[in-house]
Amino acid sequence: MAGGKIRKEKPKAPSNNYQGGISFHKSKGQHILKNPLLVDSIVQKAGIKSTDVILEIGPGTGNLTKKLLEAGKEVIAVELDSRMVLELQRRFQGTPLSNRLKVIQGDVLKTELPRFDICVANIPYQISSPLTFKLLFHPTSFRCAVIMYQREFAMRLVAQPGDNLYCRLSVNTQLYARVSHLLKVGKNNFRPPPKVDSSVVRIEPRKPQPQVNKKEWDGFLRVCFIRKNKTLGAIFRQKSVVSMLEKNFKTLQAVLASLNGSSGEAAMMDVVGDQSMGMEDDDNEMDDDDEDMEMDEGQGGGGEFKEKVMNVLKEGGFEEKRSSKLSQQEFLYLLSLFNKSGIHFS
């Protein structure tokens, strides 16, 4: 405009959300490790052998991948983003390392994972829980997984009875694996930086695997952790809990009765295959208490069956105990007492 001053635009500062011309999307959990000392520390703590086949989840542009290729026999990298896949292939093309890198493009939660010896990964935090259990239930055994998690999730994984963060996730994970905290990672070690700090955790599957029914165990813990600081007596007196357990009890009694009749095995398959506790699968393990079932305001109902449930708690001395303080062995013992009385959770 005439008579006015011409405003010079300041040059924009270069974005930290780029590497090699690729933009990173926070919404997809893309936070690339940029600190080479941290990458070296993770590889060292993983204890990789020269004969190891390594599974890497979310390799991004390959900063960690390069160190893994140098340490092990082969790296199988699972990556969802096609741009990252191309960058990964471009980075190692024509190098001696390229023959030892296999890239699988796809969603790791929907991908059938191959055999591997060790998993090392900086994962999108939104898949932390389902990925952890996908690895723990992998059909072929592996030595360990060294994974970067959001710090609070990581501390829940390693929490012990009485800790503030001790929850269903802690008990569930530690039944199937030995879990240890390796190191804390500040958010400025990533490009772009996430909103929270992270931690690296080592997960070693137990061998042999515990002989428990996975659905039964998970259903039992979901009830116990409805409100982890309430007494178990208060939780198991709730109408919704008593009603659910009584329904399961009657269903199983019907199955047992049918086994003595002509329908036999077919009846068992029909009823058990359709069985549920009215609780959906929940991948979000971050809550202090399980929100799939709410505590009832009132108590009562159930009659004789409610008394049956309470007798189990009294027999084991659990009526006044709280889930937040119980050890894994105590949970296993209580579940065995319920099962011995014909009370099941799946």
Side-chain angles (χ1 to χ4, degrees), residues 17-81:
N17 296 0
Y18 290 82
Q19 180 175 316
I22 295 179
S23 61
F24 304 126
H25 303 302
K26 287 186 177 182
S27 60
K28 295 180 180 178
Q30 293 179 342
H31 300 281
I32 308 301
L33 274 172
K34 67 177 185 179
N35 184 339
L37 294 178
L38 179 59
V39 172
D40 289 341
S41 180
I42 292 172
V43 173
Q44 184 268 324
K45 289 180 180 295
I48 298 170
K49 300 176 182 177
S50 60
T51 55
D52 280 343
V53 175
I54 306 162
L55 174 69
E56 185 184 12
I57 299 162
T61 56
N63 294 346
L64 178 59
T65 312
K66 181 175 183 295
K67 295 295 183 179
L68 296 176
L69 284 167
E70 292 170 352
K73 176 183 177 182
E74 179 186 7
V75 172
I76 302 170
V78 183
E79 175 59 61
L80 178 61
D81 192 330

Side-chain angles (χ1 to χ4, degrees), residues 303-329:
E304 292 182 5
F305 186 79
K306 179 181 176 182
E307 186 176 345
K308 181 181 181 73
V309 171
M310 298 312 298
N311 283 339
V312 171
L313 293 176
K314 291 174 183 176
E315 177 188 347
F318 287 99
E319 189 176 12
E320 296 302 318
K321 291 187 177 182
R322 292 167 169 79
S323 294
S324 59
K325 308 289 186 183
L326 290 187
S327 69
Q328 186 184 105
Q329 290 305 314

